[in-house]
Structure formats: structure tokens, C-alpha cells
Amino acid sequence: FAIKPVLRLLSDRPVLLPDQIRLAEKMRDRYLCAWGDALRCMIPSAVAAVRDKVVRMAELTNPADAARRLADGEISRLGQLRVIELLLDCGFAPVQEIMEACQVSRSVLATLAKNDWISFFEQESRRIFPEEPYTIRQPHTPNQGQANAIREISGALTAERQAGEQGREFLLFGVTGSGKTEVYLQTAQQAAEMGRGVLILVPEIGLTPQMIGRIRSRFGSAVAVLHSRLTPSERYEQWQRILRQEVLVVVGARSAIFAPLARIGLIIIDEEQETTYKSETHPRYHARDIARLRVSDHQAVLVLGSATPSVESYQRSQAGAARLLTLPARIGAAGMAKTEIVDMRQELTQGNRSLFSTKLRTALHAAFSQGRQAMLFINRRGYAGFVLCRHCGHIVRCKSCTVSMTIHVNRHERVEPASGERPSQLICHYCGRIEPIPDTCPVCGSKQIGRF
């Protein structure tokens, strides 16, 4: 086959770094995907679609000669005189701004260029986007548990690597409110001071602004942000800032794991147990696995933080593949929440057939009597999980998905239907099919059909 010649370069900077190309090869083998599939994961569509925005600039070909001509009165045109005076003052300027400031047409500049008095060149124009205000804050004094974790991670950052040694991994197992973020920030600060890049991943886009605010309070504006809610222009500019090595810290959601940092020293994955780190489209990569590949390539350090670690990450810490660091206590006066599990089978034997246990009902009334509020979490959608015929055992299922359909009550009706009143509809949670509630069993015709 014939290889077509390259016509021209669209940009002086590469879109991908060598380590990202090596990563694409590993992804191809691991996830059984094509090169293109792996590369599309790394390169945002905005980066591939948006070209460098350039501005045409003008400068004097020989400033000394131009100054002499100006002093000797050799320039007889007012427009040309204004242009040369402006360029002698500022060195170079955009063509459009020269035309507006000197009130000249493009033909005046063309004449100067024809006489070889000025020359044109193109310069990249950076997009400026407003940033949220921030206040620089000093690091907090860590408690004993935080200090131990910071010391262990910092030691791994500064330790000499043995020949062939891969990156080092830590599982930061800390209860909610134990100060894991402070450990992230102080270790990231040390990595940045060493000139190494830092990647910080959060599970949801909604958590990104909160994390960005805390990171900018330590690092200022030298932070790049990557997530799917950025506009194409914003995503492009953030990517270019990273490629230009203007930032050492990148924060974002799952896709930020592919950020083109040149010398990665630390990767932090907050709430590492979250399923949002797993891609639902081909290739179905997991950000945690990609992080391990990048850490290995850069001989960096990986920190997985969680209050409820995933089984596989905890097993790695027990098997010696990762080091377990614990933060067992909360920061400040707030203690651990009191939790009690109630066996509803015992409630049934005591004659309580309500959805609420006796202890829960007592606790709710106590909270309401004190003017306080309560939060109840329900582990499923819908009013009832399925419709069952007591006569023949038939369960109403979706005709497309063959799964039981769930009853959803119309919000305008009472939650507890009155006698003879049916909830609104049946909904399939797989395909969204909607059907009316049957009054009789569609198989045997019995009226002994009800919701469970």
C-alpha cells in the first residue's frame, strides 16, 4: 500500500506524549480494542476538532533602519508613518489592532511589506476563561494518623527506585471526615515541589468544583480541570495548558486519567470504590487500572482513598501489592455516627407488620418533638416490586425484557391506596415499557392478584 505524504503540520505541539502511545498499546492488548478506540479515549473530541487559534502579527524587518528613515524624513505617507512609529514603540502587534490604532487600511501594510519595511508572522492566541475566585490557604496541622500517612507517601515519592521497580501503591482507608483530602493536598504539594505532575480524580462531576476550590486554595491558578461539562473551547485550552507544561496539577473525573502530564509523580483517586470510574462504552476501561499502568510507566506513586474500599483494592493491600494506611478517627469534635441494625423478622414475631420498626418510629417521633428533621433512604424505586397472582403464581413481566414490572404510584394519588383503588401503572426498569395495573390475572383470570 502507498503512504500518503504529509501536507502540513496543524500544530507545533504533539497531541499525545510517548508514554500515552505506550499506554494505548497496553489498552489494546488488555481490553481487546483497536488502536483507534484506545486513542479516542485519551484525546477529547474538542482537542482533535479545535485547531490552534492564530493571529496574524506584524513587525519591523529592520528597526534600526526604520528609525533612521523616520528621523531623516524619508517616509512621506501619514499612514505609513503611524505604523512605523507604533511598531518602533511596541515591537510587534496584531495586524487588526495596527489597522484600528493607526486608522489605516490593509493596503498600507501591504505596501510596507512590499518595500520590505515590515514582515508578517502568525502567533498563537490563547483563550482566556474566567476562574472562580479563591483564597490561598496554608496547610492544616495534621493529626497523628494524617502525619503517618503523609510520611509514608512522601517517603515513596522521594525514595530511590530500584532497577525494574514499578510504581508504589497505597490504600488510604479513612472514615468519612477523617481528613483524607488534607493528606492528598500535602503529598501533592510535595510532588509539585519536586517538579512532578499530580493527577487527582473524583468520582462525580458534581464533586469536581468542591475539590477544585480546595486545590486552588493551595496551588493558585496553576491547576488544570478536565471533565465532560467543559465547553469544547475550555476543554481544548485546558489540554493545551497541560501540554505546554504550565500546570503540574490536574483534577477531574474519570477521563482526566489520560491527561498529558509529562512527568507524573503522584496519582490520587478519591472514593476509589465508586462504579463511575468504570467506562460503560467500549473499551470498558477502569480508571484505577489505567492509573496503575501510568504509575508503572512513570515510576510514580498511586494513592487510593476511600471510607469503604473496594474488595479488590483491600485484597491487594492484604496480599502486599499495596500498602494499607488507616485514618480511624474523625477530625474535630464530631464523633462517629451511631448505627443500629434492626431485624424485621423479630418485629413480625412481635406483631409489628408496619414498614417501620418500633425503634425507628420512636426515633422519628423523638426527632419531630424536638423540632428536628429526619432522612430516610429507600433502596429501590417504585411502590411495589412486582404483581403476583395468589391463585396460579403468575408474575406480571415485561413482554420485551421478561423481568417483573414495578408498580409506580401516581404522585397525585395517595401513597396508601384506598380499598379498591389501584396504583397508577406498571413500569419496566429495563426498557421503560408502561402498562396498566391488571384487575384480574391475565393467565387464570383470578381476582386474587396483588402487589408485593
Side-chain angles (χ1 to χ4, degrees), residues 24 31 46 54 65 75 85-86 99 112 147 262 269 275 288 325 341 350 371 386 393-394 400 403 419:
Y31 301 112
V54 295
D65 182 63
I75 303 174
E85 286 179 341
L86 175 64
M99 294 167 58
L112 290 172
I269 301 182
T275 58
R288 186 175 53 213
L325 306 174
I341 299 176
Q350 297 171 5
F386 58 95
H394 173 71
S400 302
V403 297
S419 177

Side-chain angles (χ1 to χ4, degrees), residues 72-381:
D72 294 344
E74 296 183 15
I75 303 174
S76 58
R77 300 288 183 178
L78 179 60
Q80 296 178 1
L81 182 68
R82 289 175 177 173
V83 172
I84 291 176
E85 286 179 341
L86 175 64
L87 292 179
L88 281 173
D89 184 47
C90 62
F92 58 87
V95 169
Q96 191 64 35
E97 292 185 10
I98 294 174
M99 294 167 58
E100 294 176 359
C102 300
Q103 298 181 351
V104 297
S105 64
R106 196 175 298 272
S107 62
V108 174
L109 300 180
T111 301
L112 290 172
K114 182 178 179 180
N115 294 334
D116 199 25
W117 290 358
I118 68 171
S119 59
F120 300 111
F121 65 95
E122 290 186 343
Q123 178 174 291
E124 180 183 354
S125 175
R126 299 187 183 181
R127 301 164 173 85
I128 305 299
F129 299 99
E131 294 182 349
E132 294 293 330
Y134 59 86
T135 302
I136 298 296
R137 303 180 186 279
Q138 297 301 317
H140 298 286
T141 302
N143 59 21
Q144 185 62 42
Q146 290 174 310
N148 292 337
I150 293 171
R151 183 173 59 253
E152 292 283 349
I153 299 172
S154 299
L157 283 170
T158 57
E160 292 290 336
R161 296 289 192 269
Q162 303 295 329
E165 183 181 0
Q166 298 180 347
R168 301 180 183 182
E169 181 176 335
F170 293 90
L171 175 59
L172 185 59
F173 185 1
V175 298
T176 302
S178 59
K180 294 188 292 295
T181 303
E182 186 63 28
V183 176
Y184 301 157
L185 295 176
Q186 294 201 24
T187 53
Q189 181 72 50
Q190 182 166 357
E193 290 174 353
M194 296 168 58
R196 304 290 297 273
V198 180
L199 272 171
I200 302 178
L201 268 61
V202 294
E204 299 179 15
I205 297 175
L207 299 177
T208 308
Q210 179 183 3
M211 182 64 78
I212 293 171
R214 300 194 63 174
I215 294 174
R216 281 183 173 152
S217 68
R218 301 290 178 87
F219 297 94
S221 60
V223 178
V225 182
L226 292 175
H227 57 75
S228 59
R229 288 187 183 174
L230 297 177
T231 65
S233 296
E234 290 172 335
R235 180 177 284 265
Y236 173 83
E237 183 55 36
Q238 295 294 328
W239 190 270
Q240 296 301 324
R241 289 182 67 204
I242 302 171
L243 281 176
R244 290 192 292 260
Q245 299 185 25
E246 296 177 354
V247 298
L248 287 175
V249 180
V250 178
V251 58
R254 180 180 64 222
S255 60
I257 192 61
F258 298 112
L261 282 171
R263 295 180 65 247
I264 298 177
L266 179 64
I267 297 180
I268 298 170
I269 301 182
D270 191 29
E271 304 295 344
E272 61 88 22
Q273 83 286 351
E274 290 290 340
T275 58
T276 52
Y277 287 122
K278 174 72 177 292
S279 173
E280 297 298 329
T281 58
H282 181 73
R284 288 176 170 81
Y285 69 90
H286 198 297
R288 186 175 53 213
D289 298 331
I290 301 298
R292 292 191 178 111
L293 294 176
R294 301 205 72 181
V295 160
S296 176
D297 197 13
H298 288 255
Q299 293 186 341
V301 175
L302 173 62
V303 176
L304 306 175
S306 176
T308 54
S310 61
V311 174
E312 53 268 40
S313 296
Y314 189 78
Q315 192 276 336
R316 284 176 61 87
S317 70
Q318 299 302 299
R323 184 175 178 84
L324 180 63
L325 306 174
T326 57
L327 299 176
R330 285 185 169 178
I331 299 294
M336 296 297 294
K338 296 180 180 179
T339 305
E340 184 176 358
I341 299 176
V342 178
D343 191 342
M344 294 302 292
R345 293 173 297 182
Q346 295 183 4
E347 294 286 319
L348 287 174
T349 59
Q350 297 171 5
N352 179 16
R353 298 185 177 277
S354 169
L355 292 175
F356 303 107
S357 66
T358 303
K359 291 186 177 181
L360 176 58
R361 187 184 298 109
T362 302
L364 289 173
H365 285 304
F368 299 153
S369 64
Q370 298 173 13
R372 308 182 69 179
Q373 296 173 310
M375 295 179 67
L376 298 180
F377 293 90
I378 304 175
N379 65 342
R380 60 177 174 83
R381 295 175 294 163

